[in-house]
Each structure stands twice: as structure tokens, then as C-alpha cells.
Amino acid sequence: MWQALHCALATSSPGPGFRGTGESAIAARPPYHILVNNAGTNRTSPFLEVKVEDFDLVMNLNLRAAFFMAQAVARGLAAGGEKGSIINMSSQMGHVGAAIRSVYCASKWAMEGMTKAMAVDLAPYGIRVNTIGPTFIETSLASRYLAEPEFKAAVLSTLLSVGAEAGT
């Protein structure tokens, strides 16, 4: 029987993210065999203008909450001797850099490294850990950027040229 748990993580303050309520909810149930860590946010600004509050908010949701959510799920699996899969939603920005996205890029690069380390640590328990790193997807987070014609044209141009190089 499949079970799902939706954890709405607050993005309005640079608080602890997942710790506490989310951990208790996970620990109170049988182990989850699949986790899709899909929470994320972005606060864009040039590197020289990044505010501490924006840095903390992005890192707390994109990295810290993902770390502790995965840890809680992995603890349940390991304690029950069960295998599972943790999928962290990363981004192409975890592999490249981009103007006005230094904090977002840093959070996704960190997620990529965290995922690799988790995969090594959790492999003996039969827990697989991977990332999915999509490019721009028209979500509520990306919509305000993609609404700007120049930005959208630049994104599409880059995607089309990469696709052409790959032979697609």
C-alpha cells in the first residue's frame, strides 16, 4: 500500500526548515520507500547585493530541509532493514553558473555534492540516492522570469543550441 506525506515547508522566514514537525511525522509512520525531495525557492540578485536573509532562506529550504528530510526517511529505512530510494530535485544550475543566481546555484551545487556523499553513506543499507537536474520549467517559481521576453529568448536560445549539439 502506498502512503504519501506532503510536508509544506515555510519559506517566509530563515528558520530551521524541516526539523521538528516533519521529523516527527516521518518517525511516526512505517518507513517511506521513496522520497522525492522537491522543495525549492530562489531569490535572485547580483552577487554583490545578496542579502543575508535571502541567502539563509534559499539555503534553509533548498539544502537544509532536503538534508534533514532525507535523513529522517533514511533513518526509518535503515532501522527497519528496508531498501529505498531518495530522489533530490536539483537543477541544471547545480552544474553551471548564471548571473543573478549565485545563491540558488550554490544551493544546487551543494545538493549535488550532498547527494553523492549520501549515496556512498547509504549504499550499504540498500538506499539509492540520486538527483534530477532539470532546466527551466514553467512553474510558479520560474514564471516571473520567463515572462520577461529577453530572458525567455535567452533561455530558449541556450536550450536549443545545447539540444542541437547533443543531436536532438
Side-chain angles (χ1 to χ4, degrees):
M1 179 177 179
W2 291 93
Q3 292 184 15
L5 176 65
H6 178 260
C7 292
L9 303 173
T11 59
S12 60
S13 67
F18 173 74
R19 298 300 302 246
T21 306
E23 276 180 316
S24 301
I26 299 253
R29 296 175 175 234
Y32 287 90
H33 295 95
I34 300 171
L35 168 66
V36 178
N37 248 333
N38 194 34
T41 193
N42 190 9
R43 292 277 176 93
T44 58
S45 62
F47 177 78
L48 296 176
E49 298 172 19
V50 172
K51 296 176 184 151
V52 171
E53 307 82 57
D54 292 340
F55 182 93
D56 288 345
L57 183 131
V58 171
M59 289 298 187
N60 279 338
L61 184 59
N62 292 7
L63 190 61
R64 182 184 168 114
F67 182 98
F68 289 109
M69 173 70 83
Q71 184 184 62
V73 168
R75 282 179 174 163
L77 288 167
E82 300 195 37
K83 297 178 181 181
S85 178
I86 296 172
I87 304 159
N88 291 320
M89 192 60 69
S90 185
S91 169
Q92 61 143 0
M93 292 295 158
H95 300 274
V96 299
I100 72 166
R101 290 189 281 290
S102 59
V103 179
Y104 184 79
C105 290
S107 74
K108 295 305 182 175
W109 278 75
M111 177 173 277
E112 293 291 331
M114 174 185 80
T115 298
K116 291 172 186 177
M118 287 169 54
V120 172
D121 279 347
L122 297 175
Y125 299 96
I127 302 170
R128 295 181 324 277
V129 187
N130 302 94
T131 59
I132 297 173
T135 186
F136 282 93
I137 298 173
E138 289 195 51
T139 64
S140 58
L141 181 63
S143 65
R144 71 179 175 138
Y145 306 109
L146 294 172
E148 297 175 24
E150 289 178 13
F151 181 84
K152 186 171 185 173
V155 168
L156 291 175
S157 172
T158 301
L159 293 176
L160 292 173
S161 67
V162 169
E165 291 172 15
T168 57

